[in-house]
Amino acid sequence: MKTNSKFFKNSRSLPVDKFFQNVLYDKKIGYYNSKLPFGGKGDFVTAPGVSNLFSEMIAIWIVSTWEIYGKPKNFNIVELGPGDGSLMRTLLQVFKNFPEFNEAKKIYLFEISNLMKKLQKKNIKDKSIKWLKNLDKIKKGPIVFFGNEFFDSIPIKQFKREKKLLFEKHYMLEKNLKIKEIFKKASIKDAKEINSFTTLKNINFIEYPKNGLLELKKIIKKIITLDGCLLIIDYGYIKPNNQNTLQSVVKHKKNHILNNLGKADVTSHVNFSLLNEFFLKNNLIVKKIIPQRQFLQNLGIRERSEIIAKKMRFSDKANLYLRLNRILSPKLMGDLFKVIVASSSKKKKYLGFDS
Ligand SMILES: C[S@@+](CC[C@H](N)C(=O)[O-])C[C@H]1O[C@@H](n2cnc3c(N)ncnc32)[C@H](O)[C@@H]1O
């Protein structure tokens, strides 16, 4: 119980997003700065940890995007929230098969946690990669941003609507150090922002990714000035349904949202319709929102698995297909995860979306 108080940092109460920002990303005691979350021994596994084929498909998508932009000599690639660096490690291996692309690529990683940065440095071991604090460092060349499970890990705000008024959920630290949920009238600024989205009209329990949208705003600005696009893959939905999607996991099991603070991962499902509306409002073109299964199949993941399987022993083959099923099956990650591409160009057709 005593541990609860340290996440409040001298405040009696905090909005949901500020509270979980401390719980997850505080430089000393935050989950992502004090624990290694990934893999069988950790708390959760993401698609790059399930199957290397997932990462190979992302590599192909990036190389094809470089071709779509006319094979520029300087091509910026930014991974958002690279976690343990597994995805980037595989990308770099695949990129070696495309020498002209390999020469042109400039890779940047965008990461908030110092512990994750250390882990990425250890796992990737490539001196040409740069860690970005500020997007303004990139001045020329088209730019591609991509992130797997990046937006679902940025804490959201929660509101309820009562008779047209918005009230924001806060957590309050009680005298006995228990945490209580309370609602306070939303700020005029937040209410105005929320009411400007058609997607959030008539919704009475609203999840608003204010910090995620602020990050997106900087990304969009860069895409518009340099030309480029953004690929997002995340656990999410198309139609908001008044649901509270905040969830916590420890050791691969669901956990009460306020238990094991600092020792559990906390995420929310991404509202893809809201992202879509935000991109359009900010002058990007949205191609499509499709399930992860469709995206990976369009990129040829099944054909690739057949080729690899030919050289394998039976047990390895079984393992390969089991893992493939996990990322493609509609009941598992295949439909729950969605993919969106937003671009500064009306005309460009992106692999996986237009095939
Ligand atoms: C759930 S992990 C996903 C890791 C990886 N992309 C994967 O698929 O395995 C979320 C990652 O995003 C990072 N992250 C969260 N919020 C961030 C922010 N505002 N800026 C940069 N990185 C952030 C986390 O530290 C972590 O590396």
Side-chain angles (χ1 to χ4, degrees):
M1 204 79 80
K2 212 172 154 199
T3 54
N4 287 347
S5 62
K6 59 188 184 187
F7 295 112
F8 282 89
K9 299 190 179 178
N10 302 326
S11 305
R12 275 291 307 283
S13 74
L14 285 175
V16 172
D17 60 341
K18 289 224 165 79
F19 179 70
F20 282 115
Q21 190 69 25
N22 293 344
V23 169
L24 294 173
Y25 301 109
D26 177 86
K27 283 198 163 54
K28 285 196 185 124
I29 53 171
Y31 172 74
Y32 277 92
N33 275 314
S34 53
K35 200 177 169 195
L36 297 180
F38 306 98
K41 287 188 186 147
D43 299 311
F44 61 91
V45 189
T46 57
V50 175
S51 171
N52 224 30
L53 288 167
F54 173 88
S55 310
E56 286 191 7
M57 294 304 115
I58 303 297
I60 298 303
W61 187 86
I62 293 171
V63 176
S64 82
T65 303
W66 168 72
E67 287 175 353
I68 289 162
Y69 280 82
K71 301 187 176 182
K73 291 261 176 309
N74 187 51
F75 193 61
N76 302 300
I77 300 162
V78 184
E79 180 173 1
L80 305 166
D84 66 359
S86 308
L87 175 54
M88 184 50 72
R89 198 176 47 205
T90 306
L91 296 188
L92 292 169
Q93 278 162 7
V94 179
F95 290 162
K96 285 186 190 145
N97 298 313
F98 304 89
E100 201 188 335
F101 168 83
N102 212 28
E103 276 293 298
K105 70 172 192 334
K106 295 267 178 314
I107 295 189
Y108 301 92
L109 301 183
F110 186 61
E111 174 56 66
I112 194 173
S113 140
N114 288 332
L115 184 62
M116 292 300 112
K117 272 186 208 163
K118 266 195 202 156
L119 191 62
Q120 290 152 18
K121 284 185 181 149
K122 183 171 150 243
N123 287 341
I124 300 173
K125 291 196 184 82
D126 183 310
K127 295 222 163 63
S128 69
I129 287 184
K130 294 195 172 78
W131 276 260
L132 271 184
K133 279 206 180 111
N134 186 338
L135 292 178
D136 286 335
K137 291 240 162 76
I138 308 177
K139 300 249 186 265
K140 58 171 195 225
I143 190 160
V144 169
F145 291 89
F146 70 98
N148 181 56
E149 295 209 40
F150 171 66
F151 282 96
D152 72 1
S153 69
I154 302 181
I156 51 162
K157 286 186 171 292
Q158 294 187 320
F159 297 85
K160 66 177 177 187
R161 199 191 296 277
E162 274 177 5
K163 296 186 189 139
K164 296 200 171 162
L165 285 179
L166 285 170
F167 297 87
E168 178 167 10
K169 189 161 120 189
H170 291 239
Y171 291 121
M172 189 175 93
L173 188 66
E174 293 187 295
K175 290 223 164 68
N176 60 9
L177 299 183
K178 281 191 177 164
I179 297 175
K180 189 180 164 188
E181 256 183 47
I182 54 166
F183 281 85
K184 294 185 184 179
K185 206 166 165 216
S187 74
I188 294 174
K189 191 166 176 270
D190 287 347
K192 210 172 150 194
E193 264 178 54
I194 289 169
N195 288 329
S196 74
F197 287 99
T198 322
T199 317
L200 301 175
K201 286 235 158 79
N202 307 322
I203 305 288
N204 294 325
F205 186 79
I206 295 163
E207 297 198 323
Y208 187 61
K210 189 176 168 108
N211 291 332
L213 296 184
L214 283 173
E215 295 291 357
L216 268 186
K217 193 114 192 174
K218 294 181 227 159
I219 292 169
I220 293 172
K221 203 173 139 208
K222 211 68 211 168
I223 290 178
I224 287 176
T225 41
L226 293 181
D227 195 16
C229 61
L230 162 69
L231 179 81
I232 297 175
I233 305 166
D234 247 304
Y235 198 140
Y237 56 90
I238 310 274
K239 273 203 180 130
N241 187 20
N242 292 312
Q243 65 272 60
N244 177 351
T245 73
L246 268 184
Q247 61 179 30
S248 169
V249 288
V250 178
K251 300 222 175 303
H252 305 269
K253 288 209 174 93
K254 282 209 168 155
N255 168 57
H256 185 281
I257 196 75
L258 294 173
N259 283 350
N260 292 302
L261 291 172
K263 293 190 173 65
D265 187 36
V266 176
T267 55
S268 60
H269 299 177
V270 173
N271 179 346
F272 276 82
S273 301
L274 183 70
L275 289 191
N276 189 6
E277 191 177 346
F278 187 74
F279 289 136
L280 298 178
K281 268 189 177 162
N282 286 280
N283 306 317
L284 286 195
I285 316 292
V286 177
K287 296 294 165 182
K288 258 182 205 169
I289 304 169
I290 56 177
Q292 168 169 295
R293 172 177 50 86
Q294 192 184 341
F295 176 67
L296 296 173
Q297 286 181 169
N298 286 348
L299 287 166
I301 197 165
R302 289 205 186 274
E303 292 79 353
R304 175 74 183 139
S305 68
E306 298 294 321
I307 296 170
I308 301 177
K310 270 191 193 140
K311 297 179 207 150
M312 282 181 166
R313 289 181 306 178
F314 180 77
S315 59
D316 292 337
K317 238 184 236 185
N319 187 22
L320 176 90
Y321 286 124
L322 201 74
R323 287 166 178 272
L324 188 65
N325 185 52
R326 196 158 155 200
I327 55 174
L328 293 184
S329 166
K331 286 199 186 122
L332 302 170
M333 294 170 91
D335 270 357
L336 299 176
F337 279 74
K338 312 272 186 294
V339 190
I340 190 171
V341 69
S343 156
S344 52
S345 155
K346 242 188 209 153
K347 289 196 186 127
K348 294 203 167 56
K349 288 189 179 245
Y350 295 90
L351 202 69
F353 292 88
D354 292 296
S355 41

